[in-house]
Amino acid sequence: MLASTSAIAQPPAGPVSEQGERLRFQSLAAPAGPYAHAVRHGDTVYLSGLTAFGSDAARGDTGAQTRVVLGRLHGVLRELGADWPALLKVTIFLTDLKDLAAVRAALIEAYGANPPASSLVQVSGLFDPALKVEIEAVIAAPPQTTPSSQEKSQ
């Protein structure tokens, strides 16, 4: 576990026990719309979709984009004080199934012997036509990885 987390909790819409805690991660760019990077409910974190947007790979091939997305996902895991085995499930949105081999190669490279449950959805496009892959995740987070209520209000 990290000595201090860089996951910054956004004010929840209701009590944390009922509505979940909105999280923002320093390793990710600020959300471009009305959504949280993630919502934590108990020891489970539901991570919004990640893309290669804003990186050099954003206009590149699907394998390169997937590696950037997985790097960002790994950054989130580390901020939570976790690693790949904490990844419970991913949903992969892919614009062209012909690129599946490149995505799988990047996934195997990242997960090693610890693959999560996974769903694959072919989509007609993502918010930027150059983007080819988006991944959202469900993570089992260590119990005390976010600031206490007092730290959040300071």
Side-chain angles (χ1 to χ4, degrees), residues 39-63:
V39 174
R40 180 185 183 129
H41 191 270
D43 292 341
T44 305
V45 173
Y46 301 88
L47 184 64
S48 295
L50 300 175
T51 68
F53 187 77
S55 73
D56 291 341
R59 304 260 179 249
D61 67 63
T62 305

Side-chain angles (χ1 to χ4, degrees), residues 68-89:
V68 167
V69 171
L70 291 169
R72 290 176 176 175
L73 176 53
H74 195 235
V76 167
L77 289 167
R78 291 175 59 113
E79 284 189 57
L80 289 168
D83 211 334
W84 292 115
L87 192 58
L88 300 176
K89 178 167 190 316

Side-chain angles (χ1 to χ4, degrees), residues 125-145:
L126 297 170
F127 71 92
D128 178 329
L131 296 174
K132 300 173 182 184
V133 64
E134 181 170 342
I135 299 176
E136 60 183 33
V138 178
I139 301 164
Q144 298 172 354
T145 60

Side-chain angles (χ1 to χ4, degrees), residues 3-61:
S4 67
T5 183
S6 51
I8 302 169
Q10 300 297 316
V16 170
S17 61
E18 292 177 18
Q19 300 297 320
E21 180 181 16
R22 277 50 181 172
L23 302 179
R24 181 167 175 205
F25 296 96
Q26 289 182 352
S27 64
L28 300 177
Y35 64 90
H37 283 152
V39 174
R40 180 185 183 129
H41 191 270
D43 292 341
T44 305
V45 173
Y46 301 88
L47 184 64
S48 295
L50 300 175
T51 68
F53 187 77
S55 73
D56 291 341
R59 304 260 179 249
D61 67 63

